Amino acid sequence: MDAGHWPEKRAKLDNGDEVQTSYLKEGDDMAGTIEVIFSMKEEVGALAKALRLFESHKINLTHIESRPSKRNRDQYEFFVRFNSAADGVKPALEALRSSAASVQVHSRDTKTENTAHDDAVPWFPRKIADLDRFANQILSYGAELDSDHPGFTDAVYRARRKEFADIAFNYKHGQPIPRVEYTEQEINTWRKCFTELRKLYPTHACREHNYVFPLLMENCGYREDNIPQLEDVSNFLKDCTGFTLRPVAGLLSSRDFLAGLAFRVFHSTQYIRHFSRPLYTPEPDVCHELLGHAPLFADASFAQFSQEIGLASLGAPDDYIMKLATLYWFTIEFGLCRQEGEVKAYGAGLLSSFGELQYCLTDKPDVRPFEPEKISVTKYPITEYQPIYFLADSFQDAKEKLRAWSHSIPRPFSVHYNPYTQSVEILDNKDHIVNLAVNIKGDFDILVDALQKVM
């Protein structure tokens, strides 16, 4: 798996033995915060009036911003942040809704009594640097291993894991990923995984994976006696599709992990599994990330498909986050595709598992057509190989079907990723939509001009 995105996750031996682990936990950094964006008609004392409203309900604002409204030029828009635990939150929001022209509530606590309302929207990052705000809201840290982990009683391994966790914990967006000098023992573990899986790739992996893998060997140091550095792989992916890797100290919630994909950021582990069980891991490790995930992120169609899942998650209700996590499970982790009349694997959970990569292409599992509506509610086992896989005709076809399905997600806006600013634009008013249309027209004009020159 990747760095965590749903409540329970399996880990497996390549002979089929597996265990269940818990992967989901909300952090505390923003758990008690509410952010409200509201607009009021332009009048003298508009801000003072709004501030008195919060003061009268004994709410202490920790952040205040104001600007002319982008929705209506005759109004001002205010952004405030405060603690969701205050007693007067619910009546204050009710009073604000009765007097303001528009109100949007953003919170990571959408199920609490204070924030429960039809217009409450879960908080989500607006720019790539916002990923720093939740990157360390993790399930476990460093040497905190479960009692059934192969390295639980190994003090040296636990200390080593803490070194990797400290690197990720102190990482901030824009910094180079620190390089790691892997030990000979760690390299031997990598060698076992690398050698066994590479034997299967030509016959079992999808065309895109087999195209990129030699390029990773040439440019990023993929070989038996070397564990590639995340920084080198991240730079390679950025040159190919704009995707980057970000070290993570532990396991993220589904919502936070998927939000990273919206910005073409993949939260990646940097440590390696315990040497005593080279074909087993109870959590994602560098073998899974670099052998399973990284090659496909260098493919343009797959990169866009992955980002579509991330964009669909922004501001989505909790039940749809679980549906998107299930879609992620059956695609990016355990997806199959048809190529030249044959079934091939593209899911990282398959491409990093010597045993399941062979099993998935036999006649034992039930292989079904790619239909997002059905996939999103399909149950899956976590203690055995998948009995069901979903087969996509192509990444492009899967992307179009996912995009059509995502229109059913109940949120009061659409989103658009701006690659120039690495930010998400909320499309919730006429001006925003017109600006996007103008930009699209400019790109379309370039396309028409190019076509005319080659015809």
Side-chain angles (χ1 to χ4, degrees):
M1 293 305 106
D2 44 70
H5 48 265
W6 48 71
E8 295 174 327
K9 173 190 177 293
R10 60 183 194 165
K12 56 180 175 291
L13 285 164
D14 274 330
N15 64 9
D17 296 332
E18 304 183 332
V19 296
Q20 174 177 319
T21 56
S22 177
Y23 263 41
L24 235 174
K25 180 180 179 181
E26 287 291 348
D28 299 325
D29 183 53
M30 292 181 295
T33 299
I34 295 178
E35 296 177 347
V36 181
I37 301 174
F38 61 95
S39 59
M40 304 184 74
K41 293 182 179 180
E42 183 177 6
E43 60 181 2
V44 177
L47 177 58
K49 179 180 178 181
L51 294 180
R52 283 196 300 271
L53 186 152
F54 289 103
E55 181 181 6
S56 66
H57 290 88
K58 299 181 179 181
I59 294 177
N60 181 36
L61 302 180
T62 59
H63 186 89
I64 306 171
E65 290 183 29
S66 65
R67 67 183 182 188
S69 175
K70 293 183 178 181
R71 297 176 177 82
N72 190 322
R73 296 180 180 178
D74 295 329
Q75 299 173 352
Y76 267 79
E77 195 168 71
F78 302 96
F79 170 86
V80 297
R81 182 184 298 135
F82 52 87
N83 193 309
S84 63
D87 293 336
V89 170
K90 186 173 183 179
L93 291 178
E94 291 176 350
L96 185 64
R97 291 183 180 107
S98 66
S99 60
S102 66
V103 178
Q104 285 189 2
V105 180
H106 299 263
S107 174
R108 290 175 70 86
D109 301 318
T110 55
K111 292 185 177 180
T112 65
E113 180 181 355
N114 282 340
T115 59
H117 196 274
D118 290 343
D119 61 3
V121 176
W123 180 92
F124 60 88
R126 295 286 300 277
K127 55 184 183 295
I128 194 169
D130 287 344
L131 300 184
D132 288 343
R133 295 181 62 180
F134 61 71
N136 291 325
Q137 297 184 26
I138 55 177
L139 172 64
S140 60
Y141 181 85
E144 299 173 8
L145 304 179
D146 292 336
S147 60
D148 59 355
H149 192 287
F152 180 72
T153 60
D154 187 338
V156 175
Y157 181 77
R158 292 168 68 101
R160 182 65 165 161
R161 285 287 296 267
K162 188 176 185 303
E163 292 178 24
F164 286 108
D166 287 344
I167 290 174
F169 192 83
N170 292 297
Y171 178 83
K172 298 297 180 184
H173 168 70
Q175 298 175 345
I177 303 174
R179 295 180 177 274
V180 174
E181 185 175 347
Y182 289 97
T183 66
E184 186 61 33
Q185 190 176 72
E186 290 169 335
I187 293 174
N188 286 336
T189 301
W190 163 272
R191 179 183 289 111
K192 178 66 174 177
C193 296
F194 184 91
T195 303
E196 295 300 319
L197 286 166
R198 194 179 170 201
K199 295 175 183 177
L200 294 178
Y201 288 158
T203 54
H204 290 64
C206 65
R207 181 192 313 113
E208 292 78 5
H209 188 280
N210 284 324
Y211 175 79
V212 172
F213 204 80
L215 299 178
L216 290 168
M217 295 179 67
E218 179 181 346
N219 295 279
C220 301
Y222 273 57
R223 59 179 189 269
E224 294 180 5
D225 62 349
N226 180 67
I227 301 176
Q229 297 291 330
L230 292 192
E231 176 69 7
D232 294 338
V233 179
S234 183
N235 290 336
F236 175 82
L237 295 178
K238 187 174 183 178
D239 287 344
C240 293
T241 63
F243 247 93
T244 58
L245 303 181
R246 177 184 176 121
V248 65
L251 305 168
L252 295 172
S253 71
S254 300
R255 184 179 295 280
D256 290 345
F257 177 81
L258 294 176
L261 295 179
F263 295 85
R264 299 206 171 200
V265 173
F266 180 77
H267 288 82
S268 174
T269 55
Q270 202 168 13
Y271 57 80
I272 197 164
R273 62 196 64 183
H274 195 260
F275 68 91
S276 66
R277 310 283 287 277
L279 295 181
Y280 165 81
T281 177
E283 72 246 306
D285 75 330
V286 72
C287 295
H288 173 78
E289 317 289 37
L290 297 187
L291 297 175
H293 282 292
L296 270 299
F297 285 129
D299 177 76
S301 293
F302 183 84
Q304 189 168 7
F305 172 72
S306 303
Q307 186 180 29
E308 291 280 346
I309 295 179
L311 289 169
S313 76
L314 301 181
D318 291 343
D319 56 337
Y320 276 85
I321 291 295
M322 295 310 299
K323 290 182 178 181
L324 286 164
T326 302
L327 278 163
Y328 181 98
W329 175 278
F330 282 113
T331 55
I332 297 177
E333 288 294 349
F334 293 98
L336 299 177
C337 61
R338 191 187 310 278
Q339 294 183 337
E340 299 176 354
E342 296 183 326
V343 177
K344 301 292 183 178
Y346 71 86
L350 301 174
L351 294 169
S352 61
S353 169
F354 182 76
E356 191 161 6
L357 184 53
Q358 297 175 83
Y359 159 84
C360 71
L361 299 188
T362 66
D363 57 2
K364 294 179 181 179
D366 178 10
V367 180
R368 302 178 182 179
F370 187 87
E371 300 178 64
E373 185 174 356
K374 294 181 179 179
I375 297 174
S376 66
V377 295
T378 298
K379 304 297 182 182
Y380 50 84
I382 58 175
T383 58
E384 60 188 38
Y385 290 159
Q386 296 299 295
I388 300 172
Y389 297 103
F390 290 91
L391 179 65
D393 289 332
S394 66
F395 295 145
Q396 180 65 27
D397 179 67
K399 180 181 64 179
E400 292 175 357
K401 289 180 178 178
L402 173 68
R403 185 177 295 166
W405 174 85
S406 68
H407 293 160
S408 67
I409 298 176
R411 58 183 180 182
F413 52 81
S414 294
V415 296
H416 173 257
Y417 180 69
N418 186 326
Y420 305 110
T421 60
Q422 293 185 295
S423 62
V424 169
E425 300 170 348
I426 296 179
L427 305 177
D428 61 351
N429 65 72
K430 181 180 178 181
D431 289 340
H432 291 170
I433 297 172
V434 169
N435 288 337
L436 176 60
V438 170
N439 291 334
I440 293 175
K441 183 180 183 301
D443 291 339
F444 186 75
D445 289 343
I446 295 174
L447 176 62
V448 172
D449 179 62
L451 287 172
Q452 291 174 341
K453 290 178 179 178
V454 300
M455 291 179 64

